[in-house]
């Protein structure tokens, strides 16, 4: 075991991918000489050279489009977009090309592209750098959407994503980069298909992902101190959802709290609630609870930002309503 950070685990995953396959290259704004907006690619330019670590102009649409073209040409591009807010400038490329070409070509044109981007609030970067829009992308057929919340997943999800023949979007929550924990020395590729039970429990199910997983686990500890045994599921993959894992847990606990840093209206949390209502309604002993971000642009002021996003106390309160 080695003590490392989420940022370093991501970098080690990138390094292994670049070593493993000569077709892999990375590009984006400041990924080379600057080492990436959040330092994830620091040192990779010196190690692999400018042909494989490419700084791009400030045009998300252009470099995502170039990545799609490279993927169609047989390469394995990793495109970094600084934040999910900026990905909206490339939404046309992501939705109308990357996600669609396989279907429009009758299965002839795969787009093996990986797009990494930072998401989430909690760092006082205000509304244009802090939103959680991964639920929007999870709406789009043709994309796979993954959200590493642990160091093991940060290290291993990228490798598996690069082996996928179709586009994969990898969302890194900005609050996780400095998280430091032990990681197995032989950590490597992990599945990008299934959710994971991060804490077993019998009284209720809490689903979370990405940056909200630690918030949910903290809430579960608080609940345990009050005699409520919560099971915490890390969704890991937002599209396609591991619906079976959610339904199996709800069937055991009969209560559900969904934690989602996206806005409540039209959200991933709404999708999960609908599926449970459709397929496990009679397993529920209480209404489904949702803990989401307040429906405002993320504030800059620290106390307002903290009040806007899901907090352990909010999850505890929702859980108590569920158990009655």
């Amino acid at each position: 075991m080695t003590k490392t950070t989420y940022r370093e685990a991501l970098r080690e995953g990138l390094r292994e991918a670049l070593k493993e396959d000569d077709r892999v290259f990375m590009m984006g704004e400041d990924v080379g000489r600057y080492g990436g907006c959040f330092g994830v690619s620091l040192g990779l330019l010196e190690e692999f050279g400018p042909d494989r670590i490419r700084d791009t102009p400030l045009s998300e649409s252009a470099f995502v489009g170039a990545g799609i073209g490279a993927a169609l040409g047989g390469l394995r591009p990793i495109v970094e977009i600084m934040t999910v807010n900026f990905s909206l400038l490339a939404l046309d490329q992501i939705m109308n090309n990357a996600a669609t070409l396989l279907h429009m070509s009758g299965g002839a044109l795969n787009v093996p592209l990986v797009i990494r981007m930072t998401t989430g609030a909690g760092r006082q970067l205000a509304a244009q750098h802090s939103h959680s829009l991964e639920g929007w992308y999870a709406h789009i057929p043709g994309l796979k959407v993954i959200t590493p919340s642990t160091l093991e997943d940060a290290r291993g999800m990228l490798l598996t994503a690069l082996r996928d023949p179709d586009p994969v979007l990898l969302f890194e929550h900005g609050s996780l980069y400095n998280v430091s924990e032990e990681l197995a020395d032989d950590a490597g590729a992990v599945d990008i298909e299934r959710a994971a039970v991060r804490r077993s429990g019998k009284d209720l199910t809490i689903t979370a992902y990405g940056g909200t997983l630690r918030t949910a686990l903290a809430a579960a500890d608080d609940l345990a101190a009050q005699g409520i045994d919560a099971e915490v599921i890390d969704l890991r993959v937002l599209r396609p959802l591991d619906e079976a894992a959610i339904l199996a847990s709800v069937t055991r606990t009969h209560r559900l709290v969904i934690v989602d840093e996206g806005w409540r209206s039209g959200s991933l949390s709404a999708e999960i609630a609908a599926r449970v209502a459709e397929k496990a309604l009679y397993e529920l002993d209480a209404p489904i609870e949702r803990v989401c971000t307040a429906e405002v642009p993320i504030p800059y002021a620290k106390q307002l930002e903290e009040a806007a996003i899901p907090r352990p106390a909010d999850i505890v309160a929702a859980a108590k309503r569920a158990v009655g």
Side-chain angles (χ1 to χ4, degrees):
M1 301 289 280
T2 301
K3 191 77 174 274
T4 189
T5 66
Y6 183 91
R7 175 187 290 106
E8 290 164 345
L10 286 165
R11 187 185 305 139
E12 195 53 36
L14 287 166
R15 178 178 287 113
E16 184 174 346
L18 288 157
K19 286 181 176 176
E20 186 179 87
D21 189 339
D22 290 340
R23 298 173 300 170
V24 174
F25 74 98
M26 180 178 177
M27 63 178 173
E29 298 159 351
D30 291 331
V31 300
R33 281 180 291 179
Y34 189 70
C37 176
F38 295 95
V40 172
S41 56
L42 190 66
L44 296 182
L45 172 64
E46 292 75 12
E47 191 173 347
F48 293 97
D51 286 343
R52 302 188 69 195
I53 307 296
R54 294 175 174 239
D55 283 319
T56 66
L58 295 174
S59 176
E60 284 77 5
S61 181
F63 66 74
V64 170
I68 293 168
L72 289 168
L75 299 177
R76 292 291 183 270
I78 303 167
V79 174
E80 178 181 299
I81 299 176
M82 283 186 180
T83 77
V84 67
N85 286 73
F86 302 162
S87 75
L88 302 182
L89 296 162
L91 188 56
D92 175 55
Q93 295 286 5
I94 295 171
M95 180 171 173
N96 287 328
N97 290 322
T100 307
L101 286 176
L102 180 66
H103 301 272
M104 294 185 68
S105 65
L109 296 176
N110 291 95
V111 182
L113 167 73
V114 175
I115 302 176
R116 299 175 38 245
M117 63 184 93
T118 304
T119 187
R123 296 161 292 142
Q124 278 197 276
L125 294 177
Q128 293 173 325
H129 298 73
S130 301
H131 288 136
S132 295
L133 306 180
E134 50 273 12
W136 288 10
Y137 288 103
H139 178 67
I140 302 172
L143 298 179
K144 181 170 285 183
V145 178
I146 58 178
T147 58
S149 58
T150 66
L151 267 66
E152 181 185 19
D153 280 351
R155 173 71 174 78
M157 277 187 162
L158 175 69
L159 296 171
T160 313
L162 283 166
R163 296 168 188 162
D164 198 294
D166 300 310
V168 179
L169 272 55
L170 190 155
F171 289 88
E172 303 160 7
H173 197 284
S175 68
L176 297 176
Y177 286 123
N178 291 328
V179 169
S180 179
E181 292 178 344
E182 298 282 341
L183 180 65
D185 294 330
D186 61 352
V190 297
D191 83 87
I192 53 172
E193 303 291 337
R194 294 184 295 275
V197 176
R198 300 299 187 192
R199 186 187 194 284
S200 296
K202 60 179 176 54
D203 294 332
L204 78 156
T205 298
I206 301 174
T207 65
Y209 66 90
T212 60
L213 176 64
R214 288 171 177 274
T215 310
L217 289 169
D221 288 343
D222 288 348
L223 289 165
Q226 301 176 54
I228 300 171
D229 189 17
E231 180 155 289
V232 178
I233 293 183
D234 177 4
L235 296 175
R236 298 182 70 244
V237 184
L238 306 188
R239 187 182 182 95
L241 270 174
D242 186 354
E243 183 180 285
I246 299 168
L247 295 175
S249 181
V250 170
T251 300
R252 288 193 298 273
T253 68
H254 307 292
R255 295 171 175 82
L256 175 62
V257 175
I258 305 165
V259 185
D260 183 357
E261 200 175 298
W263 294 302
R264 183 185 181 93
S265 298
S267 64
L268 185 76
S269 71
E271 176 65 23
I272 295 170
R275 294 196 193 192
V276 172
E278 288 168 349
K279 299 186 178 179
L281 180 64
Y282 294 108
E283 298 291 345
L284 292 170
D285 287 343
I288 297 168
E289 295 279 348
R290 290 191 283 159
V291 181
C292 303
T293 287
E295 304 218 6
V296 296
I298 296 294
Y300 170 76
K302 183 177 176 59
Q303 69 276 21
L304 295 178
E305 183 181 41
E306 289 176 351
I309 61 179
R311 297 169 294 182
D314 302 323
I315 301 170
V316 168
K320 286 184 170 180
R321 288 194 296 271
V323 298

